[in-house]
Amino acid sequence: MKGLLKFSFFLLLTLNSCNKNSRSLSLTEVVDRIDVTVLDEQMAKVRDYVPLYSNIAFRGTTFWAPEQTEVSYRWAREIGADYIQAEVQCTKDKVIVAFADDELLKKSDCNEVFKFDNVTSIRRTFYKSFKNRDGSQHFSDNDIENQIQYDKLNESAIRISDFYYAELLILDAGQWFNDNYVSLAKEMFSSDGSSLAGTYMTGGSSLCYSNGQYISSLQDIAAIARGSKLSRDFEGRRILPYHIKAEYSDLTLEQIRQLNIDINNKNTGGTSISKFMDFVEYDYKSGYISDDVDSGNRPGICITLKEYKYQPIDIEDLLFNELDYCGWNIVTNISSDTKFYNNGKVNIGNTNGKVILQTFRLNFVERIESKFEGRVPMCYLIDNERPIDWSYKEYFDKPWDASKVIDYAITHKCHIIGPGVSGGELNLQNRCNDWQIDLIHKAKMPICTWLISENSQMNKSFDVMVSGSIDLVLNWQISNQLRCSSSLFNPFHSSFSYDNSEASLIVPDPMEVLISLEKSYNSKSSN
């Protein structure tokens, strides 16, 4: 009997032990057991260019003004955003511009300006506007008509990439906002509609720009971040002359087209015909003046590359060169300034953290890596849906798969991971559960959440937050003591606290900022 009792007791202990060892592990425990790639010392150095507990103004603002226009970026700078964000693509002459949609229809008046045969007339005027030194027309009429026929075969007349940047400056990029948000509508958001008539009044010799809000170029955004605004004439039209680049000055349009086709075919193995005509140079140096409402904030710029099949094959080279041109490329122009905030003013635009690059798409991750070599902060955004170019079945919803995503990102020189958080206008699938946050931090990577629009989404105190309502984020950060403090938790340097005590404790009233901007536009003249 005693032997039987001993055996029964041993069996019970064994079963209890088996049950204990076979219980399901929590996701947090699984994360603890996963080996994940960690940023090396050099990558961590670039990571630290971006301030913790910072914020990014999505498209400048998507609430108070027409997104990605001059007024929206000026507003975001004055409200105190750490970064102003732009979703970029290229024009026909390879100017990088901020425009989120693939097509122009929703957020410009292209239906009105480019209807019927207006596109042909405007294109003819554009080609005729190039002059020789003696004032004569540079391109011959026959050359122009042949090029126009080629353009018609390769364009849809609804996309950014179908138009030269000068042609896009005819458009009104703000009236759509007034039409959709009547309670927030303002005269400064739209033009008087005279650009098309003005173009025709010149007799087809020059384009007449709109006198409202424009589709912003990357150069415009950098200038605004530095404290400038667009230079305008007495009618409120922007001043931005253009001419033929020196290397194309002796070529016909047909020769320019063939040269661009040859370049594109070289880059694609001869499988693509290019519609891009990279021969125009814009005089940005005369395009900006000091902003009379500038209060001294110098935000950085967050550039989102969205995959558009209509974009040039060399967009990463164009981005590198444009950042270089405006002095924002830290690969070629390293900064010695390390203060993110200075006496209550944002100073990120003067540091090595002045630019963040980000994308949802793997091909852009790899193309940016090949060009920037991990020397500029790069964020891999986690899409709400599993991207078609990702091989892991569950993508970011299971620890093992998520670790593979992080491994990929670090291998390809990404410093930041950008998951979506549930709630808000988009009601994204939540990729910011505790175990996902722990796994990303385990790799020594910051978390950049998108798109924050409600207080409930901010409760996890993310490292960087993207928002279209940046005033809400700033007020929340201040009220939760995540700003203007010298002793914040630093997840990457546990022996040191994080200091952003020189940031401002005051968020300007959004409407008062708009009123000050309105006064600036009132005369329709900035000079």
Side-chain angles (χ1 to χ4, degrees), residues 12-287:
L12 182 61
L13 288 176
T14 303
L15 289 172
N16 284 338
S17 177
C18 289
N19 288 335
K20 183 177 181 181
N21 289 335
S22 63
R23 70 176 177 82
S24 297
L25 295 173
S26 70
L27 287 171
T28 299
E29 290 173 317
V30 172
V31 167
D32 287 341
R33 298 186 180 196
I34 289 178
D35 290 328
V36 66
T37 305
V38 177
L39 293 181
D40 62 25
E41 184 178 351
Q42 183 57 40
M43 290 279 285
K45 178 182 177 182
V46 177
R47 171 202 66 200
D48 291 342
Y49 290 163
V50 178
L52 291 172
Y53 308 107
S54 56
N55 55 72
I56 301 171
F58 183 65
R59 303 179 186 173
T61 177
T62 56
F63 180 82
W64 293 102
E67 64 183 45
Q68 303 206 108
T69 59
E70 180 194 24
V71 68
S72 69
Y73 287 125
R74 291 172 71 194
W75 179 90
R77 182 195 66 204
E78 292 308 299
I79 211 74
D82 294 325
Y83 288 89
I84 51 180
Q85 185 260 359
E87 297 176 41
V88 303
Q89 51 184 305
C90 278
T91 64
K92 183 177 176 66
D93 46 352
K94 293 189 175 181
V95 174
I96 295 179
V97 297
F99 203 80
D101 296 343
D102 183 25
E103 297 179 350
L104 286 159
L105 302 174
K106 291 182 180 179
K107 293 177 181 174
S108 79
D109 61 344
C110 78
N111 266 342
E112 188 67 27
V113 174
F114 295 149
K115 67 181 179 181
F116 305 122
D117 199 38
N118 285 354
V119 173
T120 298
S121 298
I122 291 169
R123 179 62 50 84
R124 186 178 291 113
T125 298
F126 175 70
Y127 288 143
K128 286 186 175 183
S129 67
F130 292 93
K131 308 296 182 184
N132 297 315
R133 289 186 177 182
D134 62 1
S136 61
Q137 185 177 302
H138 182 83
F139 299 118
S140 71
D141 287 343
N142 185 57
D143 186 28
I144 289 172
E145 294 308 315
N146 287 337
Q147 180 60 40
I148 286 174
Q149 294 308 310
Y150 182 87
D151 292 342
K152 283 183 177 180
L153 292 173
N154 291 277
E155 295 165 5
S156 68
I158 56 174
R159 301 187 186 97
I160 288 285
S161 58
D162 292 334
F163 296 96
Y164 293 96
Y165 186 51
E167 294 174 319
L168 293 176
L169 296 180
I170 298 175
L171 298 178
D172 182 325
Q175 182 60 48
W176 68 270
F177 184 89
N178 285 347
D179 293 341
N180 286 278
Y181 306 102
V182 177
S183 64
L184 291 169
K186 292 188 177 297
E187 183 182 350
M188 66 174 167
F189 295 158
S190 65
S191 72
D192 62 11
S194 64
S195 61
L196 190 58
T199 294
Y200 289 142
M201 284 174 63
T202 65
S205 60
S206 64
L207 297 177
C208 181
Y209 295 160
S210 161
N211 57 1
Q213 296 299 316
Y214 299 98
I215 294 172
S216 301
S217 71
L218 182 57
Q219 300 296 329
D220 295 344
I221 300 167
I224 292 168
R226 284 194 298 263
S228 297
K229 65 178 181 179
L230 301 185
S231 179
R232 297 173 182 253
D233 64 18
F234 68 95
E235 292 182 323
R237 307 181 194 281
R238 74 173 300 180
I239 297 170
L240 188 63
Y242 55 85
H243 56 270
I244 301 173
K245 291 181 178 179
E247 60 268 36
Y248 295 100
S249 60
D250 295 326
L251 302 181
T252 65
L253 285 168
E254 183 179 4
Q255 290 170 329
I256 292 170
R257 179 179 74 239
Q258 190 57 54
L259 182 60
N260 277 264
I261 290 174
D262 290 345
I263 292 171
N264 199 59
N265 281 341
K266 180 179 179 181
N267 290 328
T268 60
T271 61
S272 176
I273 295 177
S274 174
K275 67 177 178 181
F276 296 99
M277 297 281 283
D278 185 14
F279 73 97
V280 186
E281 185 169 4
Y282 293 88
D283 184 13
Y284 290 112
K285 294 188 184 305
S286 64

